[in-house]
Amino acid sequence: TGKGTPPSTGNTTRPTTTTTLNGTANSTSTTRNPSHKPKSLTLFQSQLTYCITQFVDKEPSLALITIKTLIRMWPVGNSPKQVLFLNELEEIINVMDEIAFRECCVPLFKHITQCFRSDHFQVAERALYFWSNDHIVSLVAENVATILPLVYNVLFYNSNHHWHKSIRGLSFSSLKLFLEIDPGLYAQCAQKYREDDNSRQARAEFAKRPQPTHLDAKPKGPVAQVAPMPDGQPPVRRKSLLPVDAGTLELLSTHRSLEDVIQQSPVPYDPNSHLQGEGEIVDLNAPYSDDESDGYSDDDLEDSPRQLTPEEEEQERLKQQRYLRSR
């Protein structure tokens, strides 16, 4: 009547206010808490499904929004919860009419196909039980041209390669159902599957082949030929041709390998033969006398501050050696 609090509308949103550090309210926002998110969904899942089906039954346009929302909140990795969602999907499809089903059949069966492919046999089994519902089969038969290309590949693969025996049997029964509905379309899908499978096998075989590398590439220049040899002898590779150059041939003729240098005996060293000055031979084993020392003593072993000539340096070195020998 215009006064008092308005009645609750049943919306799942609730307002929340955020406060700043000084204690004043900053802004008001709304947070959503979907009823399908709690872990305790099993406690009220049947009542929740009943409410949703009633909404879809009274307003068929809500079917597409409801199914897209369920797909968006799909519990990936939680197999028991996926089974609950599949139960809810089946209940929603039961209250759909032909127009609403035609609008949402593509996203719906794309997702159901993923359930067919599930490794958990309970999820795949619950999804395959959809074909046991007469109402769903009638709706699928009217839209078989849209649905069969989406589900054929997975059903055919499951009927041959799934690890669980019941899944293989249910997949084969589903294929027989589609064969009875539209044999021509079924043959087209089977032909397309065979062509795709052959192309996949061809690509797999091509990937297994060793790929050519730059070493396998054909050389541009001349290639050294292998000379034919008599039977029982290994082939000999011809030497490559070197450029004819006088300087190169001379260097090659005087070249000495490292082994020749190492194996060559060194020149014997004669300690008595040392040059002094311009060729004078000095005997280092000769006795040292003070007359020949020219006043040389221990103090003279230190370096001279004056810069010596090369001849003087040689003289000093010989004097030091003779002096040290005499000591």
Side-chain angles (χ1 to χ4, degrees), residues 83-191:
V83 175
L84 295 178
F85 274 54
L86 288 171
N87 293 334
E88 186 172 344
L89 277 178
E90 185 176 5
E91 295 295 333
I92 294 173
I93 297 173
N94 282 333
V95 298
M96 281 186 186
D97 56 3
E98 299 175 2
I99 299 175
F101 182 81
R102 188 179 301 111
E103 292 177 355
C104 64
C105 66
V106 174
L108 174 62
F109 278 91
K110 279 184 178 179
H111 191 74
I112 292 178
T113 302
Q114 300 298 325
C115 297
F116 292 159
R117 195 181 286 113
S118 176
D119 291 332
H120 199 284
F121 80 97
Q122 290 182 348
V123 177
E125 186 179 42
R126 185 62 189 89
L128 289 168
Y129 277 148
F130 276 28
W131 311 125
S132 301
N133 192 315
D134 295 336
H135 180 68
I136 296 178
V137 171
S138 63
L139 293 175
V140 169
E142 295 176 359
N143 301 274
V144 67
T146 305
I147 296 173
L148 182 57
L150 298 176
V151 301
Y152 178 84
N153 293 350
V154 178
L155 291 177
F156 186 83
Y157 181 84
N158 284 352
S159 64
N160 293 279
H161 303 290
H162 201 277
W163 66 271
H164 201 272
K165 183 178 180 180
S166 65
I167 303 302
R168 293 196 298 269
L170 290 172
S171 300
F172 185 74
S173 301
S174 303
L175 292 175
K176 288 178 63 178
L177 176 65
F178 281 106
L179 180 61
E180 295 174 358
I181 293 174
D182 194 340
L185 181 61
Y186 183 91
Q188 294 177 8
C189 293
Q191 179 65 24

Side-chain angles (χ1 to χ4, degrees), residues 106-313:
V106 174
L108 174 62
F109 278 91
K110 279 184 178 179
H111 191 74
I112 292 178
T113 302
Q114 300 298 325
C115 297
F116 292 159
R117 195 181 286 113
S118 176
D119 291 332
H120 199 284
F121 80 97
Q122 290 182 348
V123 177
E125 186 179 42
R126 185 62 189 89
L128 289 168
Y129 277 148
F130 276 28
W131 311 125
S132 301
N133 192 315
D134 295 336
H135 180 68
I136 296 178
V137 171
S138 63
L139 293 175
V140 169
E142 295 176 359
N143 301 274
V144 67
T146 305
I147 296 173
L148 182 57
L150 298 176
V151 301
Y152 178 84
N153 293 350
V154 178
L155 291 177
F156 186 83
Y157 181 84
N158 284 352
S159 64
N160 293 279
H161 303 290
H162 201 277
W163 66 271
H164 201 272
K165 183 178 180 180
S166 65
I167 303 302
R168 293 196 298 269
L170 290 172
S171 300
F172 185 74
S173 301
S174 303
L175 292 175
K176 288 178 63 178
L177 176 65
F178 281 106
L179 180 61
E180 295 174 358
I181 293 174
D182 194 340
L185 181 61
Y186 183 91
Q188 294 177 8
C189 293
Q191 179 65 24
K192 187 175 183 301
Y193 179 83
R194 285 192 294 269
E195 293 176 356
D196 295 342
D197 187 53
N198 293 335
S199 62
R200 283 193 298 269
Q201 292 180 1
R203 287 195 298 269
E205 293 178 358
F206 180 78
K208 292 179 181 178
R209 297 177 183 174
Q211 299 297 328
T213 60
H214 66 282
L215 298 177
D216 301 330
K218 199 171 183 180
K220 297 181 180 179
V223 181
Q225 301 295 329
V226 178
M229 300 296 295
D231 296 339
Q233 296 184 8
V236 179
R237 185 176 181 274
R238 293 180 180 177
K239 295 182 179 180
S240 58
L241 299 178
L242 295 176
V244 180
D245 183 22
T248 303
L249 295 176
E250 182 180 358
L251 292 175
L252 290 175
S253 62
T254 58
H255 174 72
R256 295 170 61 191
S257 63
L258 182 61
E259 295 179 357
D260 297 339
V261 176
I262 294 174
Q263 293 176 0
Q264 184 179 4
S265 59
V267 179
Y269 174 72
D270 186 6
N272 296 326
S273 61
H274 290 276
L275 296 178
Q276 182 181 9
E278 297 181 354
E280 181 180 358
I281 299 177
V282 179
D283 187 5
L284 295 179
N285 295 327
Y288 182 80
S289 63
D290 294 337
D291 298 338
E292 299 176 357
S293 64
D294 297 332
Y296 198 80
S297 62
D298 293 340
D299 298 335
D300 296 330
L301 291 175
E302 299 179 357
D303 294 337
S304 176
R306 185 174 62 84
Q307 186 69 26
L308 301 178
T309 61
E311 292 79 8
E312 293 177 346
E313 288 180 357

Side-chain angles (χ1 to χ4, degrees), residues 32-86:
R32 297 183 180 274
N33 184 17
S35 300
H36 291 80
K37 288 292 185 181
K39 296 182 179 179
S40 59
L41 177 63
T42 55
L43 301 177
F44 57 89
Q45 196 266 342
S46 59
Q47 292 82 0
L48 180 62
T49 302
Y50 176 77
C51 295
I52 292 175
T53 53
Q54 292 300 313
F55 277 113
V56 175
D57 189 18
K58 294 182 181 297
E59 185 60 41
S61 60
L62 296 175
L64 181 60
I65 299 174
T66 304
I67 289 176
K68 285 186 176 180
T69 305
L70 284 176
I71 293 173
R72 179 172 53 85
M73 295 188 301
W74 198 262
V76 179
N78 190 344
S79 300
K81 204 169 182 180
Q82 290 185 38
V83 175
L84 295 178
F85 274 54
L86 288 171

